[in-house]
Amino acid sequence: MEVEEHQLWGFLEKLYLNFGYDFRDYARASLKRRICHYLQLKKINSLHELWETIESNELALEQMIQEISVTVTEMFRDPTFFKSLNKHVIPRLKTYPFFKVWVAGCATGEEVYTIAIILKEAGLLERSIIYATDINQHSLKRASDGIFPIDSMKNYIANYQQYGGLGEFSQYYSAKYNAVMMNKDLSKNIVFAPHNLAVDHVFNEFELIICRNVLIYFNQNLQNKVINLFYQSLCDFGYLGLGSKESLLFTDKRKNFVEIDRKEKLFMKS
Amino acid sequence: MKSFRIILIGSSAGGLQAIMQILPELSKEYPIPIILVQHRAKEPKDLLEEVLQHKTKLKVKQADEKEKILPGHIYVAPPDYHLLIEQNETFSLSSDEPVQYSRPSIDVLFESAASVYGASLLAIILTGANQDGTQGLKAIKSKNGYTISQNPKEATFQLMPESAIASNTIDKVLNLNEIKQFLINLSNHV
């Protein structure tokens, strides 16, 4: 399936002008790959044909948006990051009677449950509210259901052990058939809500924001915009955790953050 | 002699030894950037970049997102991310699903590079025990790029080069020392 650059540009422009979905500042190479993948999946031959399909059919439009905006993650991905979080951030969170965490671009929620488990083991879950947001409503639904394929657990258990978890990972879910369901006590302080980092604004103030492997899908312009949004959403000395290959390099706010752990991409608003 | 602006290398099981036979004689001023996808474990402690750096005068570094691609470098795809190339010849990373059980995947790099570099792209597929790379080579051929496969007879694992050759996407099948010489000759013709 071949999609030319100018066709893709035109398609994204139309998508924004007609429906308000703004993918224009997404990193093109991976977005193009996803769209081509979608065309193949649906046996659609061109972007022109795709446009005709979605223009008059809201369901088809929704379906396409869900497919191209889906992101994948895992529990305790990069155990050393969460180790660092535990070491540097948890002690401060313990000093607050109450605090808020934002997991931005949470996809299907694996990192939301990761954070909930860390807070629970620190005895902080009752004092916190976790806001878990994503552009993709289908992913959010799966996140709030808290049901995950059992095949993934082996990897998550290994990650959890590398992280240095205090208990047995299996105590946090119950397994049935080919799936596991995360314990409800983990999610009772989690708020799952739609939020589009490309267009939506500040909605609360947070002591900690986690946004890992989301910025890599954005171009420099949108990265800058999102980091500014995080800056405005953090309390004074609030923490920001990014993915292992992400940085503040392309943002005008890089001087407004202190590196807490350079390797693990953990920052503090200063 | 063709003139290339980019060299892509895809390798899997047995790849490190193969790469170390190809690269050592390239000079510090080698005029074409080299990008390598070597299948690797996701543990950050593997020493792929360090090991390679000992064998070459070129600068070996893990590709960073948004980084500009420059000559004099061997860029290596980071563990647990796909590596892609944007139209403005910078890197992009993604953590989309593994392709052919692999992340980084050779197909993903090759496909994204095909539309950026067209006929000025050289892709080399080496030893490996899966079929990653074959789809990417098809994309490269459709854009008139040039493709080389390691001779499967000489490869530690045959499946990856065999799969590439079987899909009619390979311009030349060479032994490692011939690939080495091919790369050296390129620098005399840029």
Side-chain angles (χ1 to χ4, degrees):
Chain A
M1 188 62 56
E2 191 55 48
V3 166
E4 295 300 333
E5 200 60 21
H6 68 275
Q7 295 170 333
L8 181 60
W9 184 84
F11 179 81
L12 297 178
E13 198 66 27
K14 271 199 295 192
L15 192 61
Y16 174 67
L17 291 175
N18 288 273
F19 302 109
Y21 289 106
D22 195 353
F23 289 93
R24 296 172 301 169
D25 277 339
Y26 275 52
R28 281 293 155 83
S30 48
L31 183 62
K32 186 167 150 186
R33 191 179 164 80
R34 279 152 181 247
I35 290 179
C36 289
H37 203 257
Y38 186 72
L39 293 176
Q40 262 165 4
L41 195 76
K42 294 284 165 189
K43 302 194 166 45
I44 299 172
N45 293 314
S46 67
L47 283 179
H48 180 71
E49 200 180 307
L50 175 61
W51 182 256
E52 286 181 339
T53 316
I54 61 173
E55 198 180 12
S56 52
N57 183 341
E58 205 175 322
L59 206 67
L61 171 69
E62 278 304 318
Q63 199 184 28
M64 182 207 69
I65 297 294
Q66 303 302 319
E67 281 289 331
I68 64 173
S69 67
V70 91
T71 52
V72 293
T73 176
E74 56 190 66
M75 292 189 199
F76 288 92
R77 176 176 179 172
D78 307 325
T80 50
F81 169 83
F82 293 102
K83 219 175 213 174
S84 180
L85 187 82
N86 198 23
K87 182 177 164 196
H88 294 107
V89 179
I90 292 295
R92 167 98 74 69
L93 294 182
K94 281 184 175 164
T95 67
Y96 297 118
F98 171 76
F99 60 87
K100 283 170 283 185
V101 180
W102 180 13
V103 183
C106 72
T108 38
E110 285 81 348
E111 273 186 351
V112 184
Y113 289 97
T114 304
I115 297 290
I117 289 169
I118 292 171
L119 292 178
K120 188 175 170 66
E121 293 191 353
L124 294 174
L125 195 55
E126 307 299 322
R127 282 197 249 161
S128 67
I129 290 192
I130 304 172
Y131 289 80
T133 66
D134 201 87
I135 178 183
N136 189 316
Q137 306 247 19
H138 186 246
S139 295
L140 269 182
K141 170 76 170 63
R142 285 184 48 196
S144 71
D145 288 346
I147 297 170
F148 299 96
I150 204 159
D151 308 346
S152 330
M153 287 300 140
K154 202 175 143 213
N155 178 22
Y156 300 167
I157 290 167
N159 286 351
Y160 174 76
Q161 285 166 349
Q162 270 187 54
Y163 155 74
L166 294 178
E168 292 290 329
F169 193 63
S170 58
Q171 78 198 68
Y172 296 113
Y173 59 81
S174 42
K176 215 171 205 180
Y177 308 111
N178 289 321
V180 306
M181 183 174 223
M182 302 309 288
N183 293 351
K184 284 295 169 206
D185 72 312
L186 290 174
S187 54
K188 69 174 190 276
N189 289 351
I190 303 175
V191 179
F192 293 95
H195 183 278
N196 181 346
L197 289 168
V199 294
D200 291 339
H201 300 288
V202 175
F203 64 96
N204 215 321
E205 191 181 72
F206 300 94
E207 279 69 25
L208 168 64
I209 297 176
I210 303 283
C211 183
R212 307 185 68 237
N213 299 311
V214 175
L215 294 180
I216 49 174
Y217 292 102
F218 300 162
N219 70 12
Q220 296 189 8
N221 181 33
L222 185 52
Q223 285 189 359
N224 187 45
K225 194 169 147 189
V226 172
I227 294 292
N228 270 279
L229 171 66
F230 291 161
Y231 181 81
Q232 289 160 18
S233 304
L234 281 169
C235 69
D236 287 344
F237 309 112
Y239 292 101
L240 171 64
L242 300 179
S244 63
K245 297 296 286 178
E246 293 168 328
S247 73
L248 299 177
L249 220 58
F250 309 114
T251 154
D252 50 35
K253 284 284 181 290
R254 61 185 172 276
K255 295 259 170 10
N256 300 86
F257 285 93
V258 182
E259 277 179 344
I260 299 298
D261 185 333
R262 173 189 290 254
K263 193 177 147 285
E264 299 301 340
K265 305 299 163 71
L266 198 52
F267 304 90
M268 185 180 75
K269 177 176 169 176
S270 63
Chain B
M1 182 62 75
K2 284 172 160 288
S3 82
F4 295 110
R5 290 202 299 123
I6 195 84
I7 297 169
L8 311 179
I9 302 176
S11 59
S12 186
L16 185 58
Q17 290 81 354
I19 294 156
M20 292 198 303
Q21 285 185 57
I22 299 176
L23 297 178
E25 286 171 44
L26 300 182
S27 79
K28 212 169 107 188
E29 286 81 31
Y30 194 72
I32 313 167
I34 297 171
I35 305 172
L36 169 68
V37 172
Q38 161 70 44
H39 290 163
R40 59 199 299 192
K42 68 177 183 181
E43 282 73 32
K45 279 192 211 79
D46 80 353
L47 299 169
L48 180 57
E49 287 83 4
E50 286 81 351
V51 171
L52 284 179
Q53 189 63 81
H54 279 290
K55 287 279 174 183
T56 173
K57 299 174 203 77
L58 290 156
K59 185 170 164 48
V60 178
K61 80 177 292 289
Q62 219 174 74
D64 278 317
E65 72 128 10
K66 312 269 185 281
E67 183 172 12
K68 184 91 192 141
I69 298 166
L70 298 171
H73 288 78
I74 299 170
Y75 298 98
V76 183
D80 214 19
Y81 288 91
H82 292 305
L83 180 63
L84 302 94
I85 301 178
E86 299 284 347
Q87 291 295 327
N88 64 1
E89 298 178 19
T90 60
F91 289 117
S92 240
L93 298 174
S94 106
S95 38
D96 287 354
E97 297 84 352
V99 174
Q100 297 283 345
Y101 312 102
S102 307
R103 189 171 64 196
S105 137
I106 301 165
D107 281 339
V108 172
L109 174 70
F110 282 14
E111 285 174 6
S112 76
S115 67
V116 178
Y117 292 98
S120 56
L121 185 159
L122 168 63
I124 303 171
I125 196 92
L126 301 174
T127 164
N130 73 9
Q131 301 186 36
D132 192 16
T134 298
Q135 289 304 319
L137 288 162
K138 283 182 190 163
I140 287 170
K141 282 320 296 174
S142 77
K143 294 286 184 184
N144 303 314
Y146 194 77
T147 57
I148 294 175
S149 170
Q150 181 182 10
N151 185 349
K153 287 191 190 110
E154 176 206 63
T156 319
F157 293 88
Q158 287 85 26
L159 182 57
M160 214 159 78
E162 271 175 357
S163 162
I165 294 164
S167 67
N168 290 320
T169 57
I170 294 298
D171 292 306
K172 230 179 180 112
V173 177
L174 298 174
N175 288 322
L176 287 177
N177 61 357
E178 294 168 319
I179 296 176
K180 179 175 78 176
Q181 201 52 51
F182 187 95
L183 293 182
I184 293 169
N185 291 346
L186 285 182
S187 65
N188 305 327
H189 291 86
V190 169

